[in-house]
């Protein structure tokens, strides 16, 4: 016996995808305020009041430091387009596979967070932006299992 | 914060407790990285070197050195052990000594290719592990071994052949040989305890007795040149190292596109994130049935099955129940919270990259909005204005 609902749902979603344009960009505007956020895939870019306490300033960030998610294949390639005008901070324990808190950056120049598949996120000058990662239920379950073993 | 403590044991109990310094902790990780390639070595066992070190070990134990037999895999080792047990336990009239038989078996091994070739590997039925009882290749090895035996028999040939055939093809005797083999085996490159005892000696200043140190060094040498091996009084069976081994980034046995461990006769097993799975789950996951998936008792394995099958497909094919549905207009996503027959909850969601994802959420989540807040983690209170 088929479940028309589950079937119909997946079909409806597949149809919806036909209207989606992959790689479409998004942007924060000058009118945005702390608390506003844009998700680029599984990375949340959130406007912050200030750099959170406990973060460490990278004195001389290199090109590799443009990457905002710990290395893990294509899905992790969220990168600042440039380090010009960027004050870059990181949590003391970054990278940490169990932490959902990523770097934070202050912009004195407009910048963009790029990704090979997801659309770019444009950010005007003057904003402080925190990076947060999406929870992964399966990964958390795996860690719990490993801890049990 | 106090560092991990290392308990060092002598053969009479705990010799002392040491807290590692920062430098020693770094050394521990470096030592681990030094040992991993030994465990993952896929070069052919160095038969000569392994034989020499094993002889040294026997000597340290006050025993005479043994005759050696070489096998391409633990499974082949079991078949070889079966033949040897036939001669040793049944003592058929006219059978050779173990030493003569071992020499003939070594000559046989020399004639074999290290790798029988992927096209000749025994097939594995869906949902099963490799069975040497149902393998044409291993049947041909059994027949070959009978001929090897017969080449050494001078009299009573007809009876010896008949008894050997019964023995070599008896499931019961093979099971006994397998049990004995596994219980008697040492693990060569895979011995975890060798580096465990070597590290304190090399880096923590722990002193063993001269003999303990000498014997440990021999075990270390064996681990560098040899796969598994089985020690008997008169015979040692040495097994080749695998042709292939693979680990995940966090050092669990893992391969998503083939066996995690493969030996030259096609004996292989499949692992995902350290969990043993059957070939179908890795190589033909789309052919799993809903009954197989839902019937999986181990919840971790069931998760792996579904992940490989594909969550959206699984939810569709398994009559998953819809709990909630919405059009998230801000992020331009269609979302549906689904519950599988086993009680797993997934948020089905269209992604701006034109894909459908099925994101796991706890079973306490009841709506799409709750699911998105859970998934957002520390950003749950953000005011989302867009998603790319």
């Amino acid at each position: 016996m088929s479940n028309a609902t589950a079937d119909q749902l997946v079909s409806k979603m597949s149809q919806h995808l036909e209207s989606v344009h992959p790689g479409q960009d998004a942007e924060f505007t000058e009118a945005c305020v702390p608390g506003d956020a844009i998700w680029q895939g599984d990375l949340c870019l959130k406007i912050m009041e200030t750099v959170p306490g406990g973060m460490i300033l990278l004195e001389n960030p290199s090109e590799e430091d443009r990457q905002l998610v710990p290395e893990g294949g294509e899905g992790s390639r969220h990168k600042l387009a440039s380090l010009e005008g960027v004050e870059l901070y990181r949590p003391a324990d970054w990278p940490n596979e169990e932490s959902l808190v990523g770097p934070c950056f202050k912009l004195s120049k407009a910048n963009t967070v790029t990704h090979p598949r997801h659309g770019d996120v444009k950010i005007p000058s003057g904003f402080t932006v925190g990076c947060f990662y999406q929870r992964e239920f399966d990964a958390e379950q795996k860690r719990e299992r490993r801890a049990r073993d | 914060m106090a560092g991990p403590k290392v308990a060092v044991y002598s053969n009479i109990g705990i010799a002392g407790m040491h807290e590692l310094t920062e430098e020693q902790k770094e050394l521990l990780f470096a030592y681990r990285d030094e040992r991993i390639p030994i465990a993952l070595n896929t070069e052919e066992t160095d038969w000569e070197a392994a034989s020499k070190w094993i002889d040294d070990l026997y000597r340290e134990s006050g025993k005479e050195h043994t005759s050696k037999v070489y096998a391409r895999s633990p499974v082949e080792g079991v078949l070889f052990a079966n033949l040897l047990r036939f001669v040793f336990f049944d003592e058929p009239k006219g059978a050779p000594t173990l030493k003569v038989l071992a020499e003939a078996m070594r000559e046989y091994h020399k004639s074999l290719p290290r790798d029988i070739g992927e096209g000749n590997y025994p097939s594995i039925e869906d949902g099963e592990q490799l069975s040497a009882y149902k393998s044409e290749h291993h049947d041909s090895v059994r027949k070959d071994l009978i001929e090897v035996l017969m080449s050494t028999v001078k009299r009573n040939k007809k009876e010896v052949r008949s008894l050997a055939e019964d023995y070599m093809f008896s499931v019961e005797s093979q099971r006994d040989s397998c049990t004995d083999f596994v219980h008697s085996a040492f693990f060569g490159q895979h011995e975890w305890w060798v580096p465990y005892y070597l590290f304190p000696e090399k880096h923590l200043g722990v002193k063993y007795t001269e003999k303990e140190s000498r014997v440990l060094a021999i075990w270390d040498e064996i681990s560098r040149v040899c796969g598994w091996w089985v020690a008997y009084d008169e015979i040692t069976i040495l097994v080749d190292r695998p042709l292939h081994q693979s680990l995940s980034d966090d050092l669990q046995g893992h391969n998503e596109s083939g066996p995690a461990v493969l030996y030259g006769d096609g004996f292989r097993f499949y692992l995902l994130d350290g969990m043993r799975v059957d070939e179908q789950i890795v190589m033909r996951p789309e052919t799993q049935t809903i009954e197989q998936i839902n019937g999986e008792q181990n919840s971790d394995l069931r998760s792996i099955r579904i992940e490989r099958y594909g969550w959206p497909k699984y939810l569709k094919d398994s009559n998953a129940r819809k709990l909630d549905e919405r059009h998230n207009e801000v992020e331009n996503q269609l979302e549906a919270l689904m519950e599988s027959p086993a009680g797993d909850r997934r948020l089905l969601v269209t992604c701006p990259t034109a894909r459908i994802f099925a994101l796991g959420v706890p079973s306490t989540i009841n709506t799409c909005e709750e699911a998105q807040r859970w998934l957002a983690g520390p950003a749950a209170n953000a005011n989302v204005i867009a998603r790319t």
Side-chain angles (χ1 to χ4, degrees):
Chain A
M1 187 173 87
S2 71
N3 181 331
T5 304
D7 223 1
Q8 281 175 337
L9 272 169
V10 175
S11 297
K12 193 163 131 189
M13 287 187 170
S14 300
Q15 270 175 1
H16 172 78
L17 288 179
E18 286 166 23
S19 67
V20 166
H21 303 291
Q24 224 166 11
D25 298 343
E27 61 183 327
F28 291 103
T29 67
E30 306 277 352
C32 286
V33 295
D36 289 345
I38 294 176
W39 281 93
Q40 185 184 60
D42 53 6
L43 172 69
C44 179
L45 298 160
K46 181 177 157 190
I47 307 289
M48 312 286 282
E49 298 262 11
T50 57
V51 176
M55 290 266 181
I56 296 171
L57 172 68
L58 266 70
E59 297 286 354
N60 294 302
S62 66
E63 284 299 294
E64 282 153 4
D65 296 320
R66 292 191 291 127
Q67 188 154 319
L68 300 172
V69 177
E71 181 56 45
E74 188 196 73
S76 64
R77 307 255 161 90
H78 306 261
K79 280 187 186 172
L80 281 165
S82 157
L83 288 172
E84 209 180 316
V86 176
E87 259 180 44
L88 184 59
Y89 297 79
R90 277 192 190 144
D93 64 346
W94 197 86
N96 175 351
E97 71 162 13
E98 296 188 28
S99 172
L100 298 172
V101 178
C104 182
F105 51 90
K106 281 170 79 165
L107 300 180
S108 56
K109 232 185 134 176
N111 211 319
T112 302
V113 178
T114 65
H115 187 275
R117 195 178 257 207
H118 293 279
D120 291 348
V121 176
K122 298 184 173 104
I123 312 169
S125 160
F127 282 115
T128 299
V129 179
C131 300
F132 302 92
Y133 308 131
Q134 185 171 275
R135 285 181 85 164
E136 288 181 52
F137 184 70
D138 295 332
E140 290 179 19
Q141 295 290 293
K142 252 182 222 167
R143 284 197 291 272
E144 264 177 46
R145 180 178 77 227
R146 209 157 289 154
R148 271 200 318 266
D149 293 344
Chain B
M1 189 168 83
K5 297 191 193 302
V6 172
V8 178
Y9 297 85
S10 74
N11 62 353
I12 56 168
I14 299 174
M17 296 286 286
H18 303 263
E19 184 168 340
L20 297 185
T21 64
E22 287 304 312
E23 193 191 335
Q24 286 170 338
K25 279 184 216 171
E26 279 181 35
L27 280 172
L28 186 60
F29 284 108
Y31 192 64
R32 179 200 66 183
D33 292 343
E34 198 185 303
R35 297 298 305 197
I36 285 172
I38 296 172
L40 293 182
N41 193 324
T42 54
E43 288 176 9
E44 188 169 4
T45 285
D46 185 337
W47 307 108
E48 203 177 308
S51 297
K52 179 250 183 253
W53 289 115
I54 288 170
D55 284 345
D56 284 355
L57 202 58
Y58 270 73
R59 205 170 300 121
E60 290 283 348
S61 306
K63 292 183 179 296
E64 293 292 316
H65 73 270
T66 57
S67 299
K68 309 293 184 299
V69 169
Y70 307 147
R72 288 177 292 189
S73 78
V75 165
E76 196 169 87
V78 169
L79 301 187
F80 285 20
N82 204 36
L83 180 69
L84 292 161
R85 284 164 59 89
F86 164 63
V87 167
F88 183 78
F89 287 115
D90 284 23
E91 296 180 298
K93 285 199 187 70
T97 62
L98 287 181
K99 186 175 172 182
V100 167
L101 181 56
E103 194 181 326
M105 289 168 83
R106 275 200 309 281
E107 286 303 306
Y108 168 63
H109 174 264
K110 264 192 219 167
S111 72
L112 301 174
R114 187 182 181 219
D115 179 4
I116 65 174
E118 196 175 347
N120 298 315
Y121 293 160
S123 59
I124 303 179
E125 288 176 21
D126 283 353
E128 301 285 325
Q129 301 292 340
L130 186 146
S131 169
Y133 304 117
K134 300 179 194 174
S135 157
E136 275 180 30
H137 165 74
H138 291 103
D139 275 350
S140 78
V141 171
R142 290 181 184 92
K143 288 176 189 160
D144 284 351
L145 286 173
I146 292 168
E147 296 313 315
V148 168
L149 169 66
M150 295 314 298
S151 72
T152 65
V153 170
K154 305 290 180 216
R155 58 187 178 91
N156 199 27
K157 287 188 180 216
K158 203 167 160 192
E159 189 184 357
V160 172
R161 179 181 284 279
S162 174
L163 289 170
E165 281 169 359
D166 284 346
Y167 202 95
M168 289 301 288
F169 284 89
S170 151
V171 171
E172 190 185 335
S173 72
Q174 284 172 101
R175 283 209 171 118
D176 287 345
S177 295
C178 184
T179 303
D180 183 59
F181 186 95
V182 172
H183 285 161
S184 307
F186 297 106
F187 300 108
Q189 68 186 134
H190 295 147
E191 296 283 15
W192 62 268
W193 60 269
V194 171
Y196 179 84
Y197 284 103
L198 275 173
F199 179 78
E201 187 184 43
K202 282 182 180 323
H203 296 295
L204 302 183
V206 168
K207 299 277 182 234
Y208 301 130
T209 67
E210 197 188 310
K211 176 158 178 153
E212 284 171 345
S213 192
R214 194 170 62 241
V215 170
L216 184 57
I218 295 172
W219 282 102
D220 184 24
E221 292 294 347
I222 294 171
S223 77
R224 290 170 186 275
V225 297
C226 190
W228 295 12
W229 57 283
V230 181
Y232 299 108
D233 282 340
E234 295 176 54
I235 296 276
T236 306
I237 302 176
L238 281 69
V239 179
D240 195 7
R241 288 184 279 216
L243 297 184
H244 173 80
Q245 304 184 85
S246 60
L247 300 179
S248 62
D249 288 342
D250 52 359
L251 307 180
Q252 302 282 312
H254 184 85
N255 189 352
E256 294 181 20
S257 56
V261 181
L262 169 69
Y263 285 89
D265 65 345
F267 171 54
R268 59 197 185 273
F269 46 96
Y270 296 84
L271 299 165
L272 291 171
D273 289 326
M275 284 205 74
R276 188 158 185 198
V277 297
D278 59 59
E279 184 178 79
Q280 182 192 19
I281 293 173
V282 172
M283 303 302 289
R284 301 177 294 281
E286 71 286 352
T287 67
Q288 296 177 92
T289 64
I290 296 299
E291 288 71 33
Q292 275 181 301
I293 295 172
N294 290 345
E296 182 59 67
Q297 297 300 310
N298 182 310
S299 57
D300 296 325
L301 209 37
R302 192 177 65 246
S303 289
I304 288 175
R305 280 186 176 276
I306 298 172
E307 217 172 285
R308 303 286 296 167
Y309 186 76
W311 266 103
K313 184 167 184 271
Y314 171 72
L315 291 170
K316 197 169 81 158
D317 295 347
S318 69
N319 300 327
R321 187 165 69 103
K322 183 193 77 175
L323 301 175
D324 188 28
E325 184 187 353
R326 72 171 184 174
H327 180 197
N328 182 335
E329 292 183 7
V330 171
E331 300 176 51
N332 191 23
Q333 296 184 144
L334 289 190
E335 298 169 1
L337 183 65
M338 309 294 291
E339 183 178 71
S340 77
D344 303 306
R345 293 198 177 179
R346 293 269 147 175
L347 182 71
L348 266 186
V349 60
T350 58
C351 170
T353 59
R355 294 177 289 178
I356 297 176
F357 286 100
L359 304 172
V361 291
S363 55
T364 50
I365 299 293
N366 294 306
T367 66
C368 295
E369 187 183 343
E370 280 177 25
Q372 286 287 20
R373 288 176 68 79
W374 186 90
L375 289 164
N381 294 326
N383 174 38
V384 178
I385 63 173
R387 179 184 286 268
T388 72

